[in-house]
Amino acid sequence: MNKLGRNDLCWCKSGRKYKKCHSDFDARLEEFMHRGAIVPPRSIIKNQEQIQGIRESGKINIAILDYVSGNIKEGITTEQIDQWVYEQTVKNHAVPAPLNFEGFPKSVCTSVNDQVCHGIPSPDVVLRQGDIVNVDVSTIYNGYFSDSSRMFCIGQVPEEKKRLVEVTRKSLDVGLKQVKPWGFLGDMGQAIHDFAKENGYTVVKEIGGHGVGLEFHEEPWVSYVSKRGTEMLMVPGMVFTIEPMINMGSDEIFTDEEDGWTVYTEDGQPSAQWEIQVLVTEEGYEILAY
């Protein structure tokens, strides 16, 4: 860390003197560093202006998912969902973050049944009664990024698939109880993993959450098979996603070689995922997109 004088302007660009802003914060970080903890770099600590920008982006992200929620039904193609997301995003003077990101060809990810994540919308994929589908929306508004996803049950869904969706949703609440300043990401990761296992499910190891706000993907990478007291320290101003991918069967997965994006369960069993975007605050957390 660059050392600042107490009367210098704070590194967070708040316009306040360092002694009145992040001086005590940095001292506490140094204590954790000396204990061997992984501490967040300054580049991912958001100031109030940035947090407000991310909030505004999150409002649009939520509104887009609300629109999908009000219109999704049996007989809809995933291509139609992509069109809705694009239209609603542009209508709000925003940009769909996935579109052309590292070559991804669509504005949203739609992952059906045994697709774990990164499903590419297609006119050939028609939602049928009994399907479960994850719709993952990410938005850029005034340069700020938001990211969240929801699961949808199409028509009458078998009880075992409905339970998977419900348990995965509840796992977010279990994880959120562990999101607090000066705790560790591993506290949250283990809580979610234990909850999933208790309910007879497995958690995907290779894919996790991520920091987000000024970029689509920032530090830290967020695991849901981690251990308490490990991974990066959570501090006020950090923004990241909680998005466990929970499988009904094995945790083994593979990526479609043809499209290079869609991730499937190895055993063909269903997978579910919910995603929220969270800010660590002085008191606990604030959900920015859900």
Side-chain angles (χ1 to χ4, degrees):
M1 295 181 186
N2 295 328
K3 292 291 185 180
L4 293 176
R6 289 175 54 78
N7 290 313
D8 290 340
L9 292 179
C10 188
W11 53 262
C12 75
K13 301 179 181 178
S14 65
R16 300 173 66 198
K17 290 183 178 181
Y18 182 52
K19 65 184 179 183
K20 295 288 188 180
C21 198
H22 274 91
S23 177
D24 291 343
F25 174 95
D26 283 350
R28 194 163 185 183
L29 275 189
E30 286 197 25
E31 288 180 15
F32 276 96
M33 285 178 65
H34 292 319
R35 298 182 209 168
I38 302 170
V39 302
R42 288 176 176 174
S43 60
I44 68 169
I45 307 301
K46 276 62 175 179
N47 61 32
Q48 289 305 310
E49 179 182 350
Q50 292 166 337
I51 290 168
Q52 185 56 34
I54 300 167
R55 280 196 191 104
E56 295 303 314
S57 180
K59 290 176 183 177
I60 296 172
N61 213 72
I62 293 167
I64 294 166
L65 277 167
D66 285 346
Y67 184 89
V68 173
S69 181
N71 290 277
I72 194 169
K73 61 183 178 180
E74 183 180 3
I76 291 294
T77 66
T78 53
E79 176 70 19
Q80 180 65 67
I81 297 172
D82 183 71
Q83 291 175 10
W84 291 340
V85 170
Y86 181 81
E87 290 166 1
Q88 293 300 311
T89 304
V90 172
K91 177 182 176 181
N92 283 282
H93 310 290
V95 177
L99 187 59
N100 299 319
F101 175 75
E102 296 183 352
F104 191 81
K106 297 291 183 176
S107 297
V108 66
C109 296
T110 52
S111 305
V112 184
N113 295 327
D114 64 332
Q115 294 177 338
V116 177
C117 61
H118 304 160
I120 300 175
S122 168
D124 299 325
V125 179
V126 181
L127 297 180
R128 303 296 186 191
Q129 182 161 218
D131 286 343
I132 58 173
V133 55
N134 177 269
V135 179
D136 189 348
V137 173
S138 309
T139 302
I140 311 169
Y141 180 66
N142 287 340
Y144 294 105
F145 290 74
S146 53
D147 191 6
S148 59
S149 77
R150 299 179 195 172
M151 291 296 299
F152 297 97
C153 293
I154 306 302
Q156 294 297 315
V157 173
E159 283 302 318
E160 60 269 23
K161 290 170 81 173
K162 188 183 297 183
R163 180 175 180 272
L164 174 66
V165 170
E166 291 172 351
V167 168
T168 304
R169 176 63 187 87
K170 288 178 182 177
S171 77
L172 298 185
D173 297 328
V174 170
L176 276 171
K177 290 179 181 178
Q178 304 300 319
V179 176
K180 56 194 72 171
W182 313 107
F184 292 90
L185 283 171
D187 303 345
M188 182 264 294
Q190 180 166 353
I192 288 175
H193 191 218
D194 289 350
F195 181 72
K197 285 180 65 178
E198 288 164 6
N199 281 278
Y201 301 130
T202 62
V203 181
V204 172
K205 302 185 294 289
E206 297 89 342
I207 309 171
H210 53 92
V212 60
L214 306 184
E215 301 289 343
F216 196 174
H217 292 126
E218 304 172 358
E219 291 186 73
W221 185 76
V222 183
S223 170
Y224 307 104
V225 294
S226 46
K227 299 295 183 182
R228 293 186 184 280
T230 68
E231 306 295 326
M232 188 177 283
L233 188 71
M234 294 183 286
V235 302
M238 277 179 64
V239 178
F240 56 87
T241 64
I242 303 178
E243 50 175 314
M245 294 156 220
I246 297 180
N247 296 350
M248 187 179 291
S250 164
D251 62 359
E252 296 297 318
I253 60 173
F254 71 93
T255 301
D256 188 301
E257 292 183 0
E258 188 171 328
D259 69 34
W261 282 99
T262 309
V263 179
Y264 290 85
T265 59
E266 185 70 50
D267 59 10
Q269 292 291 308
S271 182
Q273 177 198 23
W274 294 79
E275 178 183 14
I276 54 176
Q277 184 176 1
V278 175
L279 163 72
V280 182
T281 67
E282 297 285 352
E283 296 77 28
Y285 63 84
E286 176 186 342
I287 298 174
L288 300 176
Y290 57 86

